[in-house]
């Protein structure tokens, strides 16, 4: 028995999978994504079971009662996970409001390097997420906690969903705009590289004439690596907003 306990302790202490899980679950984003995965998995299973129950009908002895019990349990799980996610992100609208204000005032360091289109779309994204999170928090306080009484809770929920959709659209548009600019920048770098190669091939073979071409090639390569990294970041942003 002690050997099994020792083996289990060694496995937990040295396992990379356990370390990755602990690192992932220790963040608010990680817990939210785990709850979201469980929520949408339960929703998918409810849909599949409901379709099967609808095709079977009310035939006795076909396991309809068990299926209905599973649908009820999964629906309850989905509702609990949805409420848990709302509780974890309650008050998040303050952070988005702060980011929106920093974009408007130009206080964010990254905003100084972005053009007006990306800055405007970023402001729309932060404002939309702020409205969505505020509506989400108000809905939680109204339905689950009973701290706030809303005259028209469905209207507040619809407003939050529209703001969320506008925020995702702005984020996707900003990512597409950045990818377009980076594609143009890469084309310019390709022309510069071809010019450097042609100049180096047409020049003399002396080391003094090869030095500027080699320096230009290194600068062009560094710029291409920066463009590739920015394109990967914009692609991830576009994928997450989809």
């Amino acid at each position: 028995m002690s050997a099994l306990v020792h083996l289990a302790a060694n496995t937990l202490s040295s396992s990379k999978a356990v370390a990755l899980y602990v690192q992932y679950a220790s963040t608010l984003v990680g817990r939210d994504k785990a709850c979201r995965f469980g929520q949408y998995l339960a929703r998918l299973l409810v849909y599949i079971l409901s379709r099967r129950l609808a095709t079977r009908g009310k035939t006795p002895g076909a396991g309809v009662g068990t299926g209905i019990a599973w649908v009820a349990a999964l629906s309850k799980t989905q509702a609990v996970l949805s409420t848990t996610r709302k509780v974890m992100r309650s008050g998040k609208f303050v952070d988005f409001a702060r980011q929106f204000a920093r974009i408007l005032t130009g206080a964010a360091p990254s905003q100084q390097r972005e053009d007006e289109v990306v800055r405007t779309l970023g402001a729309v994204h932060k404002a939309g997420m702020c409205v969505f999170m505020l509506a989400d928090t108000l809905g939680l306080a109204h339905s689950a906690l009973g701290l706030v009484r809303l005259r028209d809770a469905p209207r507040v929920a619809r407003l939050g969903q529209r703001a969320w959709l506008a925020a995702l659209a702005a984020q996707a548009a900003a990512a597409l705009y950045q990818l377009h600019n980076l594609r143009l920048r890469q084309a310019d770098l390709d022309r510069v590289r071809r010019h450097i190669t042609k100049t180096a091939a047409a020049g003399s073979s002396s080391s003094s004439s090869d030095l500027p071409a080699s320096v230009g090639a290194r600068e062009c390569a560094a710029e291409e690596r920066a463009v590739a990294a920015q394109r990967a970041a914009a692609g991830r942003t576009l994928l997450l907003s989809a």
Side-chain angles (χ1 to χ4, degrees):
M1 185 65 181
S2 60
L4 292 177
V5 172
H6 185 70
L7 179 61
N10 288 335
T11 303
L12 289 176
S13 61
S14 61
S15 176
K16 294 183 178 180
V18 174
L20 181 62
Y21 168 78
V22 172
Q23 184 180 3
Y24 186 76
S26 61
T27 62
L28 181 60
V29 176
R31 292 192 295 270
D32 179 73
K33 289 184 180 297
C35 290
R36 181 170 59 180
F37 174 77
Q39 176 186 353
Y40 288 111
L41 178 61
R43 180 178 297 180
L44 176 63
L45 293 177
V46 167
Y47 173 76
I48 294 174
L49 289 176
S50 299
R51 291 292 300 270
R52 288 186 178 181
L53 290 175
T55 55
R56 288 182 180 181
K58 298 183 179 180
T59 305
V64 177
T66 305
I68 293 176
W70 273 104
V71 169
L74 290 172
S75 300
K76 185 177 180 180
T77 301
Q78 174 188 340
V80 169
L81 290 175
S82 177
T83 304
T84 302
R85 292 184 62 205
K86 290 181 179 180
V87 170
M88 287 193 298
R89 64 173 180 247
S90 61
K92 184 68 175 177
F93 64 91
V94 178
D95 184 22
F96 282 107
R98 178 175 175 269
Q99 295 180 26
F100 175 71
R102 288 173 64 87
I103 292 177
L104 291 183
T105 58
S110 60
Q111 301 300 320
Q112 300 175 2
R113 302 188 300 269
E114 295 176 347
D115 58 7
E116 192 65 28
V117 176
V118 177
R119 189 180 301 111
T120 302
L121 291 173
V124 173
H125 172 258
K126 301 305 180 185
M129 291 303 296
C130 177
V131 174
F132 167 67
M133 291 295 179
L134 178 59
D136 193 61
T137 302
L138 290 176
L140 175 67
H142 170 76
S143 60
L145 303 178
L147 300 177
V148 177
R149 295 184 61 87
L150 299 177
R151 294 182 179 180
D152 195 352
R155 183 179 180 182
V156 174
R158 287 193 300 268
L159 176 63
Q161 293 171 358
R162 291 172 182 172
W164 173 74
L165 183 61
L168 291 187
Q171 188 179 28
L176 290 174
Y177 178 78
Q178 289 176 329
L179 287 174
H180 174 70
N181 288 342
L182 291 172
R183 192 176 297 112
L184 296 178
R185 187 176 171 189
Q186 182 63 47
D188 293 338
L189 290 174
D190 292 339
R191 286 193 293 269
V192 171
R193 179 174 287 277
R194 286 195 297 267
H195 176 72
I196 292 175
T197 304
K198 187 182 298 184
T199 303
S204 62
S205 60
S206 61
S207 60
S208 59
S209 61
D210 290 340
L211 182 59
S214 62
V215 172
R218 287 196 298 268
E219 293 179 352
C220 187
E223 191 73 14
E224 286 177 345
R225 288 193 295 269
V227 169
Q230 293 177 12
R231 290 182 65 177
R236 287 192 299 268
T237 301
L238 182 62
L239 182 63
L240 291 175
S241 62

